[in-house]
Amino acid sequence: MYHHSLHILLCCTDTLLESSLRRARPHPGFTHVITAACGPFCSPAPAALPGLAEADIVLLDAENIAELPALRSAAKQEALFVLVGAGAQEPPAEVFSLLHDVWPAPASASLHDFRVARLLDTVRQRRDQELAILQFQTVINLTSDLVWVKDAKGAHIKVNEAFCRLVGKSRQQVEGRGHYFIWDLEPEEYTQGEFVCLETDQIVMTTREAGVFDEVVKAPQGMRQFKTRKTPLFNPDGSIMGTVGIAHDVTDIANMTAELDLVLQSIPYAVMILDADKKIVNFNERFKKLFGVGPADYIVGETREVFRQRAIDRLGFSRSGRHVKMRSGLDGQEKYIDMYENDIFDIFDNVIGMICIYRDVTRQRLIEQRLKQRADTDDLTGLFNRHYFFKNIPATLAAGAGLAYIDLDNFKFVNDRFGHYEGDKALILTAQILRKQLRNAVIARLGGDEFAAFFPAECSDAFLRDSAEKLLAALLEAYGGHEAFAGISASIGLTLVEQPGLARDALVRRGDVAMYEAKRLGKRRYCVYSENLE
C-alpha cells in the first residue's frame, strides 16, 4: 500500500548493534537507509550531523547524552531517539521525555537483534496507524454527508469537513466539544433537547444496534432535515465506547416532496404514483375519496394488484382499456372513470415508476347517454323514433318475424276540437298502452299518429291476431275514460314473414297496406296483409 525509506542514524560505536541493524530485514513497504556518524562527535555542532534532519530513528551512545537536547531540536518531531549503552548510572530524569527507549549495556548480538526487531515493529505500527488515520480522514472528507465520531458522553472526537462547513467552525474548534457549543444552542433549547439529536444517540447505545433516524437540526443556514444512520462503538471488553454517525441532508428532497404533494393536491383528478415495482408511493385526497381510502387504511408500499383486488371486492371495480366502471367509495353511486397511465423515467431513460390519473367522467357519460337516447327516442311519447326503428330492424328478415302497423282513427278531430295539448295526451296514452300490451316488440312512433311494433321472431298468424284484438280492446277502454278521446280508435295492419329473405322496407310497406285496408273496412279493426290487397 505504501513505501517508506526508513532513515536510521547510528550515533554510537557499538559494532554488534550496527551489525544487527544491517542484518535486520525491512518490513513490507520499507527500505532501510543506515547512516553511521563518527563518535565521539567530531563536529563542534552536533545538530549539523549528516542525515539528522531526515532520520526516523536515532541511536545515541550514552556517552553523548549531553548532546541529546540539541539533537532532538534539530531532528524531525516524530523521530525516535534510543539511548544505547547506558551503564549502571540512570540517565537524568529530564531527558526521559526526549527518549523513546533506553538500551542498557552490555548486550549480546541476539539481544541487539531482539531490540532492533522490536524497534522496527514500533516504527511499522506507527506508520500503519498514521496511514489508517490518513485514509479514514480522506474517506470521510470525500463525502458530502456529515460524518462524526462521538464518545459515550456526546463529545465529538472526529468530524469531517462537511460537518465543519455546516456548523461554520473548524475541526480544531469542533473536536472535543459537545452539541451546546457546536450548534450554538440556547440554554433553553439544550435543556429541552430540541434539535439536539442526543435521544437517538442514547437509543443506539441502549439497544447496541445500528439505527436510521429522521432528525432536524438548527444550523447557521436555518433548519435542516437529515436522514441519519448511527451505530455504537464498543471497547474490547464489550462496553460502549461511543457512537459513529452519518447524516444525509434531505432538506431539499423534503422540500421537493412537499412541492410534489402540493402539486398532487392541486390536480383536479384522483392521482396515484407507483414505483418501479408497481408499489404505491403517493396519492392525493381525491384518490382517497374516489376509492374510499380511510384514515386507518395505510396503502403506501402496497402493490397495485393488491389494491386493485380490494377495489374489485369493495367497489365492483372493472376495467376495459382505459375506461373504468365502479361504485363510489364515498356514496356508493355508480361512477365512470377514464384512467390515464404514463411511465416515469429517470435521466437515463430508465422506468422508475408510473403515474396513474383517474378522471371522473360520470356526468359526461350520462350526458352522452341522454343525447344518444334523445337521438333514438321520440321526445313526446318516450318510444323509439323512426330513425332508431329502421336502424335496428335487419335489412332482410327471417321467417317468423312480424309487424303491426298502427294508425289512430279520428285523431285530427281531437286536435281540431280540443287543441294540440289534448292531442299530445292522447299520443302519450297510446304509447303507454302499446308498451303494456306488446311487451316483446320493438315499438316506435313513426310520425304523427302512426306507430309500428316489430316482433323479431316466433310470430304466427294467430299470435298477431290475438295481439291486435287485445290491443284494440285496451285502446278503446283507455280512450273511453277521457271525454276528449271518445271518438278515437285504431286501425291496425298485420303482416307476417312466412319465407326468409323478405326485405325490411317490404315488411313495413305490407303493414301500411294492411292498415289502410282496415280503415277502408270501417276503422277500429285490424287487417292481415295478403297479396290480394295489392
Side-chain angles (χ1 to χ4, degrees), residues 466-515:
D466 182 62
S467 298
E469 288 177 359
K470 292 179 179 178
L471 177 61
L472 285 172
L475 287 171
L476 289 173
E477 182 181 356
Y479 296 149
H482 298 268
E483 179 183 355
F485 308 159
I488 302 177
S489 62
S491 295
I492 304 174
L494 303 175
T495 180
L496 177 67
V497 180
E498 297 177 342
Q499 298 294 329
L502 181 68
R504 173 190 57 209
D505 294 342
L507 178 72
V508 175
R509 184 184 62 78
R510 289 181 179 185
D512 186 52
V513 169
M515 181 270 295

Tab-separated table of all heavy atoms in Angstrom, residues 466-515:
chain	number	residue	atom	x	y	z
A	466	ASP	N	-104.280	-12.311	-32.171
A	466	ASP	CA	-104.605	-12.221	-30.749
A	466	ASP	C	-104.058	-10.931	-30.142
A	466	ASP	O	-104.735	-10.272	-29.343
A	466	ASP	CB	-104.032	-13.443	-30.037
A	466	ASP	CG	-104.375	-13.456	-28.561
A	466	ASP	OD1	-105.571	-13.516	-28.227
A	466	ASP	OD2	-103.428	-13.392	-27.732
A	467	SER	N	-102.809	-10.589	-30.517
A	467	SER	CA	-102.194	-9.362	-30.002
A	467	SER	C	-102.976	-8.141	-30.457
A	467	SER	O	-103.197	-7.202	-29.681
A	467	SER	CB	-100.743	-9.263	-30.464
A	467	SER	OG	-99.971	-10.339	-29.957
A	468	ALA	N	-103.420	-8.126	-31.704
A	468	ALA	CA	-104.157	-6.980	-32.242
A	468	ALA	C	-105.509	-6.826	-31.555
A	468	ALA	O	-105.944	-5.705	-31.231
A	468	ALA	CB	-104.324	-7.133	-33.740
A	469	GLU	N	-106.204	-7.943	-31.331
A	469	GLU	CA	-107.509	-7.877	-30.671
A	469	GLU	C	-107.366	-7.314	-29.257
A	469	GLU	O	-108.157	-6.457	-28.829
A	469	GLU	CB	-108.131	-9.278	-30.614
A	469	GLU	CG	-108.611	-9.778	-31.970
A	469	GLU	CD	-109.161	-11.193	-31.885
A	469	GLU	OE1	-109.132	-11.760	-30.765
A	469	GLU	OE2	-109.588	-11.725	-32.918
A	470	LYS	N	-106.389	-7.803	-28.514
A	470	LYS	CA	-106.186	-7.300	-27.160
A	470	LYS	C	-105.787	-5.835	-27.172
A	470	LYS	O	-106.197	-5.057	-26.294
A	470	LYS	CB	-105.115	-8.122	-26.455
A	470	LYS	CG	-105.539	-9.556	-26.173
A	470	LYS	CD	-104.416	-10.335	-25.499
A	470	LYS	CE	-104.859	-11.769	-25.193
A	470	LYS	NZ	-103.787	-12.567	-24.579
A	471	LEU	N	-104.979	-5.435	-28.120
A	471	LEU	CA	-104.561	-4.047	-28.200
A	471	LEU	C	-105.734	-3.135	-28.507
A	471	LEU	O	-105.898	-2.073	-27.876
A	471	LEU	CB	-103.462	-3.895	-29.267
A	471	LEU	CG	-102.974	-2.469	-29.528
A	471	LEU	CD1	-102.372	-1.870	-28.259
A	471	LEU	CD2	-101.944	-2.448	-30.666
A	472	LEU	N	-106.587	-3.518	-29.453
A	472	LEU	CA	-107.752	-2.696	-29.800
A	472	LEU	C	-108.657	-2.531	-28.594
A	472	LEU	O	-109.153	-1.427	-28.313
A	472	LEU	CB	-108.511	-3.339	-30.951
A	472	LEU	CG	-107.866	-3.211	-32.344
A	472	LEU	CD1	-108.626	-4.054	-33.368
A	472	LEU	CD2	-107.832	-1.748	-32.788
A	473	ALA	N	-108.868	-3.624	-27.870
A	473	ALA	CA	-109.746	-3.551	-26.708
A	473	ALA	C	-109.153	-2.641	-25.641
A	473	ALA	O	-109.867	-1.843	-25.009
A	473	ALA	CB	-109.969	-4.957	-26.152
A	474	ALA	N	-107.861	-2.756	-25.420
A	474	ALA	CA	-107.213	-1.928	-24.407
A	474	ALA	C	-107.251	-0.454	-24.784
A	474	ALA	O	-107.446	0.425	-23.930
A	474	ALA	CB	-105.774	-2.395	-24.194
A	475	LEU	N	-107.043	-0.156	-26.062
A	475	LEU	CA	-107.072	1.232	-26.512
A	475	LEU	C	-108.468	1.837	-26.364
A	475	LEU	O	-108.621	2.966	-25.880
A	475	LEU	CB	-106.617	1.319	-27.968
A	475	LEU	CG	-105.115	1.104	-28.227
A	475	LEU	CD1	-104.840	0.999	-29.718
A	475	LEU	CD2	-104.279	2.232	-27.606
A	476	LEU	N	-109.491	1.087	-26.762
A	476	LEU	CA	-110.850	1.601	-26.654
A	476	LEU	C	-111.216	1.868	-25.197
A	476	LEU	O	-111.873	2.866	-24.866
A	476	LEU	CB	-111.829	0.601	-27.279
A	476	LEU	CG	-111.754	0.498	-28.803
A	476	LEU	CD1	-112.653	-0.645	-29.302
A	476	LEU	CD2	-112.171	1.815	-29.464
A	477	GLU	N	-110.781	0.961	-24.310
A	477	GLU	CA	-111.070	1.156	-22.905
A	477	GLU	C	-110.373	2.395	-22.367
A	477	GLU	O	-110.943	3.173	-21.600
A	477	GLU	CB	-110.632	-0.073	-22.116
A	477	GLU	CG	-110.930	0.025	-20.633
A	477	GLU	CD	-110.471	-1.198	-19.857
A	477	GLU	OE1	-109.983	-2.166	-20.473
A	477	GLU	OE2	-110.565	-1.186	-18.606
A	478	ALA	N	-109.114	2.576	-22.770
A	478	ALA	CA	-108.360	3.737	-22.295
A	478	ALA	C	-108.936	5.035	-22.843
A	478	ALA	O	-109.072	6.020	-22.102
A	478	ALA	CB	-106.889	3.600	-22.692
A	479	TYR	N	-109.263	5.087	-24.124
A	479	TYR	CA	-109.827	6.296	-24.706
A	479	TYR	C	-111.187	6.620	-24.106
A	479	TYR	O	-111.558	7.792	-23.953
A	479	TYR	CB	-109.969	6.138	-26.215
A	479	TYR	CG	-108.657	5.963	-26.959
A	479	TYR	CD1	-108.602	5.200	-28.130
A	479	TYR	CD2	-107.481	6.553	-26.500
A	479	TYR	CE1	-107.418	5.026	-28.817
A	479	TYR	CE2	-106.291	6.375	-27.172
A	479	TYR	CZ	-106.262	5.609	-28.340
A	479	TYR	OH	-105.086	5.427	-29.021
A	480	GLY	N	-111.943	5.598	-23.774
A	480	GLY	CA	-113.280	5.824	-23.240
A	480	GLY	C	-113.280	6.532	-21.909
A	480	GLY	O	-114.296	7.106	-21.511
A	481	GLY	N	-112.192	6.514	-21.212
A	481	GLY	CA	-112.122	7.184	-19.925
A	481	GLY	C	-111.887	8.665	-20.036
A	481	GLY	O	-111.797	9.346	-18.996
A	482	HIS	N	-111.744	9.190	-21.236
A	482	HIS	CA	-111.469	10.618	-21.437
A	482	HIS	C	-112.498	11.182	-22.408
A	482	HIS	O	-112.666	10.651	-23.521
A	482	HIS	CB	-110.059	10.839	-21.995
A	482	HIS	CG	-108.975	10.359	-21.069
A	482	HIS	ND1	-108.368	11.162	-20.141
A	482	HIS	CD2	-108.416	9.132	-20.925
A	482	HIS	CE1	-107.450	10.471	-19.480
A	482	HIS	NE2	-107.478	9.213	-19.949
A	483	GLU	N	-113.152	12.222	-22.030
A	483	GLU	CA	-114.185	12.835	-22.879
A	483	GLU	C	-113.612	13.269	-24.215
A	483	GLU	O	-114.248	13.073	-25.276
A	483	GLU	CB	-114.797	14.031	-22.153
A	483	GLU	CG	-115.878	14.745	-22.978
A	483	GLU	CD	-116.412	15.974	-22.278
A	483	GLU	OE1	-116.006	16.220	-21.120
A	483	GLU	OE2	-117.220	16.684	-22.889
A	484	ALA	N	-112.411	13.847	-24.203
A	484	ALA	CA	-111.835	14.369	-25.450
A	484	ALA	C	-111.443	13.249	-26.403
A	484	ALA	O	-111.281	13.476	-27.604
A	484	ALA	CB	-110.621	15.231	-25.135
A	485	PHE	N	-111.227	12.000	-25.860
A	485	PHE	CA	-110.738	10.907	-26.695
A	485	PHE	C	-111.856	9.955	-27.113
A	485	PHE	O	-111.591	8.901	-27.688
A	485	PHE	CB	-109.692	10.073	-25.943
A	485	PHE	CG	-108.557	10.892	-25.349
A	485	PHE	CD1	-107.813	10.381	-24.308
A	485	PHE	CD2	-108.255	12.174	-25.824
A	485	PHE	CE1	-106.787	11.121	-23.759
A	485	PHE	CE2	-107.229	12.909	-25.267
A	485	PHE	CZ	-106.492	12.391	-24.224
A	486	ALA	N	-113.116	10.299	-26.864
A	486	ALA	CA	-114.228	9.353	-27.058
A	486	ALA	C	-114.345	8.870	-28.501
A	486	ALA	O	-114.753	7.735	-28.759
A	486	ALA	CB	-115.538	10.003	-26.610
A	487	GLY	N	-113.949	9.685	-29.456
A	487	GLY	CA	-114.110	9.279	-30.852
A	487	GLY	C	-112.880	8.616	-31.441
A	487	GLY	O	-112.871	8.261	-32.629
A	488	ILE	N	-111.822	8.436	-30.636
A	488	ILE	CA	-110.584	7.876	-31.180
A	488	ILE	C	-110.650	6.356	-31.139
A	488	ILE	O	-111.182	5.747	-30.212
A	488	ILE	CB	-109.352	8.358	-30.379
A	488	ILE	CG1	-109.260	9.884	-30.381
A	488	ILE	CG2	-108.070	7.755	-30.954
A	488	ILE	CD1	-108.123	10.410	-29.569
A	489	SER	N	-110.081	5.739	-32.136
A	489	SER	CA	-109.867	4.285	-32.170
A	489	SER	C	-108.581	4.047	-32.953
A	489	SER	O	-107.845	4.984	-33.249
A	489	SER	CB	-111.061	3.568	-32.813
A	489	SER	OG	-111.217	3.992	-34.165
A	490	ALA	N	-108.337	2.800	-33.329
A	490	ALA	CA	-107.100	2.490	-34.064
A	490	ALA	C	-107.393	1.517	-35.180
A	490	ALA	O	-108.242	0.620	-35.056
A	490	ALA	CB	-106.059	1.914	-33.126
A	491	SER	N	-106.659	1.695	-36.271
A	491	SER	CA	-106.676	0.737	-37.377
A	491	SER	C	-105.294	0.095	-37.426
A	491	SER	O	-104.266	0.794	-37.393
A	491	SER	CB	-106.985	1.440	-38.697
A	491	SER	OG	-108.291	1.976	-38.691
A	492	ILE	N	-105.272	-1.263	-37.506
A	492	ILE	CA	-104.012	-1.988	-37.390
A	492	ILE	C	-103.825	-2.868	-38.616
A	492	ILE	O	-104.725	-3.638	-38.999
A	492	ILE	CB	-103.985	-2.862	-36.124
A	492	ILE	CG1	-104.250	-1.997	-34.879
A	492	ILE	CG2	-102.661	-3.597	-36.005
A	492	ILE	CD1	-104.388	-2.796	-33.601
A	493	GLY	N	-102.628	-2.750	-39.196
A	493	GLY	CA	-102.264	-3.632	-40.297
A	493	GLY	C	-101.252	-4.659	-39.814
A	493	GLY	O	-100.218	-4.298	-39.252
A	494	LEU	N	-101.543	-5.944	-40.023
A	494	LEU	CA	-100.673	-7.019	-39.566
A	494	LEU	C	-100.021	-7.697	-40.755
A	494	LEU	O	-100.680	-7.910	-41.792
A	494	LEU	CB	-101.458	-8.055	-38.762
A	494	LEU	CG	-102.218	-7.538	-37.535
A	494	LEU	CD1	-103.043	-8.672	-36.926
A	494	LEU	CD2	-101.271	-6.943	-36.517
A	495	THR	N	-98.736	-8.042	-40.609
A	495	THR	CA	-98.055	-8.780	-41.672
A	495	THR	C	-97.037	-9.719	-41.048
A	495	THR	O	-96.391	-9.384	-40.061
A	495	THR	CB	-97.375	-7.827	-42.672
A	495	THR	OG1	-96.734	-8.601	-43.683
A	495	THR	CG2	-96.352	-6.929	-41.997
A	496	LEU	N	-96.907	-10.897	-41.648
A	496	LEU	CA	-96.047	-11.962	-41.121
A	496	LEU	C	-95.031	-12.368	-42.187
A	496	LEU	O	-95.388	-12.495	-43.360
A	496	LEU	CB	-96.894	-13.176	-40.723
A	496	LEU	CG	-96.144	-14.406	-40.212
A	496	LEU	CD1	-95.479	-14.111	-38.873
A	496	LEU	CD2	-97.111	-15.598	-40.083
A	497	VAL	N	-93.775	-12.561	-41.772
A	497	VAL	CA	-92.741	-13.043	-42.683
A	497	VAL	C	-92.856	-14.569	-42.711
A	497	VAL	O	-92.495	-15.243	-41.748
A	497	VAL	CB	-91.337	-12.604	-42.233
A	497	VAL	CG1	-90.279	-13.139	-43.208
A	497	VAL	CG2	-91.251	-11.086	-42.125
A	498	GLU	N	-93.336	-15.087	-43.818
A	498	GLU	CA	-93.519	-16.543	-43.915
A	498	GLU	C	-92.317	-17.229	-44.546
A	498	GLU	O	-92.034	-18.393	-44.243
A	498	GLU	CB	-94.779	-16.845	-44.723
A	498	GLU	CG	-96.040	-16.313	-44.041
A	498	GLU	CD	-97.293	-16.544	-44.885
A	498	GLU	OE1	-97.123	-16.789	-46.097
A	498	GLU	OE2	-98.413	-16.474	-44.341
A	499	GLN	N	-91.590	-16.549	-45.422
A	499	GLN	CA	-90.399	-17.091	-46.053
A	499	GLN	C	-89.213	-16.186	-45.735
A	499	GLN	O	-89.329	-14.955	-45.789
A	499	GLN	CB	-90.577	-17.184	-47.575
A	499	GLN	CG	-91.715	-18.104	-48.011
A	499	GLN	CD	-91.421	-19.555	-47.647
A	499	GLN	OE1	-90.258	-19.979	-47.613
A	499	GLN	NE2	-92.469	-20.320	-47.344
A	500	PRO	N	-88.076	-16.741	-45.395
A	500	PRO	CA	-86.906	-15.904	-45.062
A	500	PRO	C	-86.447	-15.088	-46.262
A	500	PRO	O	-86.625	-15.497	-47.416
A	500	PRO	CB	-85.841	-16.914	-44.634
A	500	PRO	CG	-86.247	-18.198	-45.265
A	500	PRO	CD	-87.750	-18.191	-45.335
A	501	GLY	N	-85.857	-13.922	-45.995
A	501	GLY	CA	-85.292	-13.088	-47.047
A	501	GLY	C	-86.129	-11.889	-47.394
A	501	GLY	O	-85.731	-11.096	-48.259
A	502	LEU	N	-87.307	-11.728	-46.779
A	502	LEU	CA	-88.140	-10.555	-47.068
A	502	LEU	C	-87.407	-9.293	-46.632
A	502	LEU	O	-86.834	-9.226	-45.546
A	502	LEU	CB	-89.491	-10.670	-46.349
A	502	LEU	CG	-90.465	-9.508	-46.588
A	502	LEU	CD1	-90.934	-9.513	-48.035
A	502	LEU	CD2	-91.647	-9.595	-45.629
A	503	ALA	N	-87.451	-8.271	-47.459
A	503	ALA	CA	-86.780	-7.012	-47.135
A	503	ALA	C	-87.545	-6.257	-46.064
A	503	ALA	O	-88.772	-6.334	-45.969
A	503	ALA	CB	-86.637	-6.155	-48.393
A	504	ARG	N	-86.792	-5.528	-45.261
A	504	ARG	CA	-87.396	-4.725	-44.192
A	504	ARG	C	-88.395	-3.725	-44.748
A	504	ARG	O	-89.519	-3.583	-44.218
A	504	ARG	CB	-86.282	-3.993	-43.452
A	504	ARG	CG	-86.754	-2.975	-42.421
A	504	ARG	CD	-85.583	-2.139	-41.932
A	504	ARG	NE	-84.925	-1.488	-43.057
A	504	ARG	CZ	-83.629	-1.164	-43.100
A	504	ARG	NH1	-82.853	-1.466	-42.074
A	504	ARG	NH2	-83.114	-0.568	-44.158
A	505	ASP	N	-88.001	-3.008	-45.784
A	505	ASP	CA	-88.900	-1.988	-46.345
A	505	ASP	C	-90.170	-2.614	-46.878
A	505	ASP	O	-91.267	-2.033	-46.781
A	505	ASP	CB	-88.184	-1.216	-47.454
A	505	ASP	CG	-87.021	-0.394	-46.911
A	505	ASP	OD1	-86.992	-0.153	-45.671
A	505	ASP	OD2	-86.141	0.009	-47.704
A	506	ALA	N	-90.059	-3.834	-47.427
A	506	ALA	CA	-91.243	-4.531	-47.936
A	506	ALA	C	-92.178	-4.895	-46.794
A	506	ALA	O	-93.418	-4.813	-46.920
A	506	ALA	CB	-90.827	-5.773	-48.708
A	507	LEU	N	-91.627	-5.290	-45.653
A	507	LEU	CA	-92.437	-5.635	-44.494
A	507	LEU	C	-93.239	-4.420	-44.030
A	507	LEU	O	-94.451	-4.514	-43.756
A	507	LEU	CB	-91.546	-6.143	-43.361
A	507	LEU	CG	-92.264	-6.509	-42.056
A	507	LEU	CD1	-93.051	-7.807	-42.252
A	507	LEU	CD2	-91.278	-6.647	-40.900
A	508	VAL	N	-92.572	-3.270	-43.930
A	508	VAL	CA	-93.255	-2.060	-43.469
A	508	VAL	C	-94.325	-1.643	-44.470
A	508	VAL	O	-95.441	-1.233	-44.093
A	508	VAL	CB	-92.231	-0.931	-43.236
A	508	VAL	CG1	-92.948	0.365	-42.868
A	508	VAL	CG2	-91.247	-1.329	-42.142
A	509	ARG	N	-93.992	-1.758	-45.750
A	509	ARG	CA	-94.992	-1.373	-46.764
A	509	ARG	C	-96.232	-2.260	-46.681
A	509	ARG	O	-97.358	-1.798	-46.771
A	509	ARG	CB	-94.360	-1.479	-48.156
A	509	ARG	CG	-95.289	-0.992	-49.291
A	509	ARG	CD	-94.645	-1.220	-50.636
A	509	ARG	NE	-94.404	-2.625	-50.886
A	509	ARG	CZ	-95.363	-3.509	-51.266
A	509	ARG	NH1	-96.616	-3.106	-51.409
A	509	ARG	NH2	-95.066	-4.769	-51.477
A	510	ARG	N	-96.019	-3.580	-46.437
A	510	ARG	CA	-97.150	-4.502	-46.317
A	510	ARG	C	-98.007	-4.152	-45.097
A	510	ARG	O	-99.239	-4.213	-45.145
A	510	ARG	CB	-96.650	-5.934	-46.199
A	510	ARG	CG	-96.070	-6.481	-47.492
A	510	ARG	CD	-95.606	-7.915	-47.293
A	510	ARG	NE	-95.072	-8.480	-48.527
A	510	ARG	CZ	-94.679	-9.751	-48.665
A	510	ARG	NH1	-94.746	-10.560	-47.606
A	510	ARG	NH2	-94.205	-10.197	-49.818
A	511	GLY	N	-97.344	-3.790	-44.001
A	511	GLY	CA	-98.107	-3.393	-42.828
A	511	GLY	C	-98.933	-2.155	-43.104
A	511	GLY	O	-100.079	-2.036	-42.640
A	512	ASP	N	-98.365	-1.216	-43.849
A	512	ASP	CA	-99.066	0.015	-44.196
A	512	ASP	C	-100.272	-0.287	-45.084
A	512	ASP	O	-101.367	0.270	-44.897
A	512	ASP	CB	-98.082	0.956	-44.888
A	512	ASP	CG	-98.687	2.318	-45.156
A	512	ASP	OD1	-99.225	2.925	-44.205
A	512	ASP	OD2	-98.622	2.779	-46.311
A	513	VAL	N	-100.077	-1.198	-46.038
A	513	VAL	CA	-101.176	-1.585	-46.940
A	513	VAL	C	-102.319	-2.212	-46.142
A	513	VAL	O	-103.509	-1.900	-46.332
A	513	VAL	CB	-100.652	-2.556	-48.022
A	513	VAL	CG1	-101.827	-3.180	-48.799
A	513	VAL	CG2	-99.721	-1.824	-48.976
A	514	ALA	N	-101.973	-3.126	-45.235
A	514	ALA	CA	-102.995	-3.792	-44.435
A	514	ALA	C	-103.706	-2.801	-43.533
A	514	ALA	O	-104.925	-2.910	-43.285
A	514	ALA	CB	-102.349	-4.909	-43.611
A	515	MET	N	-102.973	-1.789	-42.988
A	515	MET	CA	-103.585	-0.791	-42.125
A	515	MET	C	-104.618	0.025	-42.898
A	515	MET	O	-105.735	0.284	-42.400
A	515	MET	CB	-102.504	0.116	-41.542
A	515	MET	CG	-103.035	1.187	-40.594
A	515	MET	SD	-103.472	2.744	-41.469
A	515	MET	CE	-101.894	3.290	-42.061
